Amino acid sequence: MEPPNLYPVKLYVYDLSKGLARRLSPIMLGKQLEGIWHTSIVVHKDEFFFGSGGISSCPPGGTLLGPPDSVVDVGSTEVTEEIFLEYLSSLGESLFRGEAYNLFEHNCNTFSNEVAQFLTGQKIPSYITDLPSEVLSTPFGQALRPLLDSIQIQPPGGSTVGRPNGQS
Amino acid sequence: IYGSSQARGQMAQSGRPAGLPADKDTSLSATRVIIKTSGKQEDFTIADDTSVRQFKEELSAHFKCQVDQLVLVFMGRLLKDHDTLSQRGVLDGNTIHLVIRSKHGSRALAHSSRNPSTKEPCHRDRNTQGNSGKGYQPAGVSHSPVESALSVQPDVPKAHTQDLEAGNPEHSAQILGNARTQRLLPDTDLMRQVISEHLAMQQLLQQNPEVSHILDNSELLWQTLELARNLAVIQEITQIQHPSRVGLESVPGGQNALGQCPADFSDEMLSASQDPLGGNPFTAPLGGQVPGQVQSSPLSPPLSQGLGEQHPQLPTATVIYASSRGLASITAAGATPNKGNHTSRTNTATHATNGRSHTGTVEQPAGGPALPSIELTQQPQQSGSRITGSMTQSLLNNPSLAAQMMLCVSMLSEQWRQQLLAFLQQTQLSETLTALGNPKASQAILQIEQGLQLLATEAPVLLPWVAPYLWGLGWLPAPSCSYPDAVPWAWDSPDVAKPKAPESHHKSGTVLQRLQSLAGDPSHLVQAPEIRFSKQMESLQAMGFGDHYANLQALIATDGDTSAAVHKLRRSQAF
């Protein structure tokens, strides 16, 4: 019996603030943040991410953000592209619709974490998923919460992942 | 030997166990697993020796689909029909992912033309339809400048200049991200030429000649441009959802409205980075000493212009943008006085910085920010302290910036204004500053400013009357005097009014006298004495002078001077 194919799974990590958070967070928040992290999962030679427009995909590094600031090796998966796309479609219709986007609670990193666990059983690094609570635990974050809550992030350059026409 | 009637306590909502052990000590036992699918999850309890196939049959009944449609994934591995769960290492409480395939199968990504039914990843030609048509080139762009031994491309500067002229943020981001631009940057002369040709840059250089040193330093230039590009990117990917602003949520709408801003911003950034600390104005010796008096005045005109140009109905992506400008200017302002730390390239810049240090009172940018900056001059001189961990301290030390942030606040929606103000109050900023957050107050201030300007041209002789009032004699409470209607008082601060009331009444009395003599016909300006002197009347009553009419006469005679009236009354009563 042939051994199953293993596909590598990577996490692309982008600093949305492009270094500003690292410099300004001590002043603004009173604590040091290394960046405002946006992540995406790269598997089967495609990059997948979640934004206010829902789940999107593009060639790796193909959003306006350019190449990632760091790449984390998540593991490997047997899940084929076909199965993965089915999975993403159902996710995009249930848990990860565009309207469900929330900067603090249900953002790109939530999605990356979910997908990483599906593909490999591993979670993404905690410094990324801890970021919202780090910000909200500061007075600045608390006070500006309504403003920040209404922010929607959608990096341009991707196309929506969904069910093709005519599918049930 | 399994007693089917002995139900285990672990029976979860929908799982029907394939078989139940009598007790846990046997080698075979039940395992509770979590099945996650379509954003939901459910518990199932099954025996370890259950085959995957059997489990799938159970699941297909539960999820109402065919067994062939089910795909089980555990730890990234596809579970095969002949496996058992224990073989695959599934333990109690583990999660197994379930994908229910659609009956028709075979789907593809929008940008891929490949047939997805094969298992192996094979080469596919990418159809670029899915990508937005920007032509952004991510591959090969690196941030490290390439060696300067390059062939000069004479056609490139022209193309760049044209695109820079367009001022389109998309283009700017593109150009700046373009690999060719990156390679050009080490070539200082060429970049200097390119940038100098840009019209806005020329204007900027005329205003602020010391900025030209930035062009001398390619690394600083690159970093500054990089910053401008990054902020343009941030602006482009960020939207703010606000239900009342129809059609303004999308980035393109926001972009059009803010079309000039990235270009403006890069100008401002260049003007802001007067002191290239270690080559980059944003290296953060912000924890260092910051004398309160320093104010980077060249920041004010461009910033206030930039803000002034914005339509009040702007999408509130402005906020992010304005705050990022504001932050950038905070760091620049905070960075400017720090002279000791850095060596190279600072000589001319330091000199320029010294020449630019002002106290807040000197500079008067046109428009609203003028007045708030006056009010706050007291604060920086007193605090004169180092910037601690709080941004609000920076605001205190940089009054014009604080004023501009307040103007930003006034452009925000009510909700956000409340939040920002709540925050500011918590951090104990001057109550003057928070009062400025009242939009009517800032409108009033603007009107006052306009009125002053008008008055200065129309009737300068009246200025001594109006001006001393504004320059800190105290806010006069509204009801006691009726001034020309050009100056409406939206001020509602009884706390401030009360302690100063006696003095201000006194002053208002003399000022009114002056006005009467100037105007010649005071009748339309002066209310009934009873109303005018109501406060003084109360004072007199409180002091024990019960004769209302006599009090009034005394006050009229002394024109509101309470103490003089008291003397008068005492003298008259003595008789």
Side-chain angles (χ1 to χ4, degrees):
Chain A
M1 186 164 153
E2 59 182 62
N5 286 312
L6 280 182
Y7 311 101
V9 179
K10 305 273 186 226
L11 180 77
Y12 276 18
V13 184
Y14 303 83
D15 177 9
L16 285 181
S17 74
K18 299 287 185 181
L20 285 178
R22 189 167 48 82
R23 290 179 180 129
L24 297 180
S25 58
I27 287 215
M28 289 180 56
L29 299 179
K31 64 166 75 163
Q32 179 70 46
L33 289 183
E34 291 305 315
I36 308 291
W37 308 117
H38 164 87
T39 58
S40 56
I41 291 285
V42 175
V43 66
H44 295 296
K45 299 197 172 67
D46 278 315
E47 180 175 352
F48 299 89
F49 56 95
F50 175 63
S52 54
I55 303 178
S56 305
S57 69
C58 65
T63 67
L64 188 65
L65 296 167
D69 295 296
S70 63
V71 177
V72 175
D73 187 6
V74 185
S76 55
T77 188
E78 288 178 5
V79 175
T80 65
E81 183 172 8
E82 180 199 356
I83 299 173
F84 183 56
L85 293 175
E86 289 261 12
Y87 164 77
L88 284 184
S89 287
S90 97
L91 219 54
E93 287 169 1
S94 58
L95 207 52
F96 286 97
R97 300 167 173 273
E99 331 46 288
Y101 185 90
N102 178 274
L103 189 69
F104 285 118
E105 319 247 317
H106 200 70
N107 57 25
C108 52
N109 304 325
T110 320
F111 171 77
S112 297
N113 207 12
E114 186 80 21
V115 171
Q117 289 178 70
F118 169 77
L119 287 175
T120 66
Q122 305 297 330
K123 294 189 176 182
I124 66 177
S126 62
Y127 71 86
I128 296 170
T129 45
D130 286 344
L131 184 63
S133 61
E134 286 283 322
V135 172
L136 287 178
S137 67
T138 66
F140 188 80
Q142 272 301 318
L144 286 192
R145 174 153 198 181
L147 170 70
L148 298 173
D149 246 350
S150 66
I151 292 178
Q152 312 258 311
I153 305 280
Q154 178 62 40
S159 52
T160 311
V161 171
R163 294 191 186 274
N165 294 334
Q167 297 287 335
S168 63
Chain B
I1 315 179
Y2 300 117
S4 59
S5 59
Q6 293 174 17
R8 283 266 147 195
Q10 282 189 338
M11 205 69 123
Q13 47 254 55
S14 52
R16 188 171 44 82
L20 282 175
D23 58 69
K24 283 184 190 170
D25 293 331
T26 61
S27 55
L28 294 171
S29 58
T31 308
R32 180 185 67 91
V33 294
I34 303 170
I35 295 293
K36 256 183 125 165
T37 190
S38 304
K40 302 182 308 254
Q41 62 184 51
E42 296 183 41
D43 285 4
F44 285 82
T45 305
I46 45 176
D48 275 359
D49 63 346
T50 310
S51 73
V52 170
R53 176 80 197 182
Q54 286 171 309
F55 190 30
K56 278 188 177 177
E57 281 163 8
E58 185 183 330
L59 290 172
S60 72
H62 177 78
F63 287 103
K64 301 187 177 40
C65 59
Q66 293 165 11
V67 176
D68 298 344
Q69 290 175 267
L70 299 174
V71 177
L72 289 172
V73 181
F74 178 66
M75 299 298 290
R77 302 296 177 263
L78 299 170
L79 299 182
K80 305 276 191 261
D81 287 358
H82 56 268
D83 292 335
T84 68
L85 293 186
S86 55
Q87 274 178 347
R88 301 309 311 237
V90 178
L91 300 175
D92 201 63
N94 282 161
T95 300
I96 301 177
H97 294 265
L98 170 68
V99 180
I100 303 176
R101 283 200 254 231
S102 64
K103 293 186 178 118
H104 298 273
S106 136
R107 60 189 64 254
L109 289 175
H111 65 267
S112 165
S113 53
R114 175 177 92 89
N115 180 353
S117 60
T118 59
K119 280 189 183 173
E120 298 181 31
C122 62
H123 176 72
R124 50 192 155 171
D125 50 25
R126 276 175 207 279
N127 180 342
T128 55
Q129 284 171 6
N131 294 335
S132 67
K134 287 182 183 175
Y136 189 74
Q137 305 169 32
V141 172
S142 76
H143 287 260
S144 53
V146 181
E147 317 78 57
S148 54
L150 303 164
S151 54
V152 178
Q153 305 170 35
D155 54 328
V156 170
K158 292 210 181 91
H160 283 313
T161 309
Q162 283 165 11
D163 286 323
L164 284 173
E165 292 284 351
N168 186 333
E170 275 185 32
H171 276 230
S172 300
Q174 234 186 330
I175 295 296
L176 291 170
N178 191 308
R180 286 186 298 179
T181 312
Q182 305 269 346
R183 276 185 241 126
L184 277 177
L185 283 170
D187 189 343
T188 310
D189 288 335
L190 186 59
M191 281 311 292
R192 191 191 183 121
Q193 185 189 357
V194 167
I195 290 185
S196 307
E197 282 168 11
H198 190 205
L199 204 58
M201 273 305 298
Q202 286 175 359
Q203 289 171 356
L204 177 70
L205 284 175
Q206 281 167 15
Q207 286 177 5
N208 305 303
E210 72 275 7
V211 166
S212 61
H213 74 265
I214 290 176
L215 296 175
D216 295 331
N217 178 0
S218 70
E219 193 190 323
L220 175 63
L221 179 66
W222 174 74
Q223 285 178 354
T224 310
L225 290 175
E226 185 74 13
L227 182 74
R229 172 176 87 108
N230 290 339
L231 283 159
V233 167
I234 292 173
Q235 176 209 327
E236 217 170 297
I237 69 176
T238 307
Q239 315 159 11
I240 296 188
Q241 292 293 343
H242 190 79
S244 68
R245 296 184 190 271
V246 178
L248 292 177
E249 293 154 357
S250 61
V251 169
Q255 232 176 3
N256 291 339
L258 292 171
Q260 354 171 359
C261 288
D264 285 346
F265 186 79
S266 50
D267 295 345
E268 288 156 21
M269 285 331 304
L270 292 174
S271 69
S273 53
Q274 318 168 34
D275 182 5
L277 304 169
N280 191 315
F282 297 103
T283 53
L286 290 166
Q289 292 286 338
V290 179
Q293 291 84 346
V294 173
Q295 172 184 344
S296 51
S297 43
L299 271 180
S300 319
L303 273 175
S304 61
Q305 280 167 22
L307 284 174
E309 282 164 2
Q310 289 171 3
H311 192 278
Q313 290 297 326
L314 264 186
T316 44
T318 301
V319 173
I320 296 288
Y321 204 78
S323 6
S324 54
R325 277 162 153 181
L327 290 173
S329 37
I330 288 177
T331 56
T336 43
N338 201 321
K339 303 167 186 104
N341 283 357
H342 300 268
T343 55
S344 59
R345 296 183 291 261
T346 55
N347 295 333
T348 46
T350 310
H351 177 73
T353 309
N354 284 336
R356 282 272 166 197
S357 300
H358 292 286
T359 55
T361 46
V362 178
E363 283 294 307
Q364 295 278 337
L371 283 171
S373 71
I374 292 154
E375 281 303 312
L376 294 167
T377 46
Q378 311 304 325
Q379 311 283 343
Q381 309 232 353
Q382 288 158 8
S383 55
S385 54
R386 50 202 301 266
I387 294 184
T388 59
S390 166
M391 175 176 88
T392 56
Q393 292 284 344
S394 315
L395 286 178
L396 274 177
N397 293 335
N398 193 344
S400 76
L401 175 66
Q404 279 150 16
M405 287 203 69
M406 282 300 113
L407 278 183
C408 283
V409 171
S410 65
M411 284 195 266
L412 291 177
S413 74
E414 189 59 34
Q415 184 196 21
W416 298 341
R417 192 185 297 123
Q418 300 293 342
Q419 288 300 324
L420 263 177
L421 287 177
F423 164 66
L424 289 170
Q425 278 160 6
Q426 284 167 17
T427 52
Q428 290 157 8
L429 264 186
S430 151
E431 61 183 10
T432 314
L433 195 58
T434 56
L436 285 171
N438 178 352
K440 292 191 181 127
S442 14
Q443 278 173 25
I445 291 172
L446 280 169
Q447 286 177 5
I448 294 169
E449 180 78 6
Q450 289 162 8
L452 276 179
Q453 288 170 4
L454 190 59
L455 202 60
T457 51
E458 293 294 323
V461 67
L462 287 175
L463 272 182
W465 165 57
V466 180
Y469 158 80
L470 285 170
W471 298 132
L473 278 189
W475 302 106
L476 296 178
S480 61
C481 325
S482 108
Y483 288 118
D485 55 356
V487 196
W489 302 137
W491 208 259
D492 187 16
S493 47
D495 305 332
V496 180
K498 274 175 192 155
K500 294 183 181 168
E503 312 159 10
S504 60
H505 273 279
H506 175 73
K507 290 194 170 80
S508 78
T510 50
V511 163
L512 225 94
Q513 235 173 4
R514 220 187 302 164
L515 178 64
Q516 287 170 24
S517 60
L518 283 171
D521 180 12
S523 56
H524 67 285
L525 290 171
V526 178
Q527 290 172 315
E530 270 181 348
I531 301 172
R532 262 178 65 199
F533 302 131
S534 57
K535 285 268 160 56
Q536 293 93 319
M537 290 292 291
E538 284 170 22
S539 311
L540 290 177
Q541 296 273 356
M543 284 185 230
F545 296 99
D547 190 340
H548 181 87
Y549 182 72
N551 296 347
L552 198 56
Q553 292 303 315
L555 282 173
I556 292 172
T558 61
D559 204 75
D561 186 344
T562 315
S563 44
V566 166
H567 284 304
K568 213 170 166 49
L569 286 167
R570 283 204 181 119
R571 281 202 305 273
S572 62
Q573 282 177 5
F575 286 112

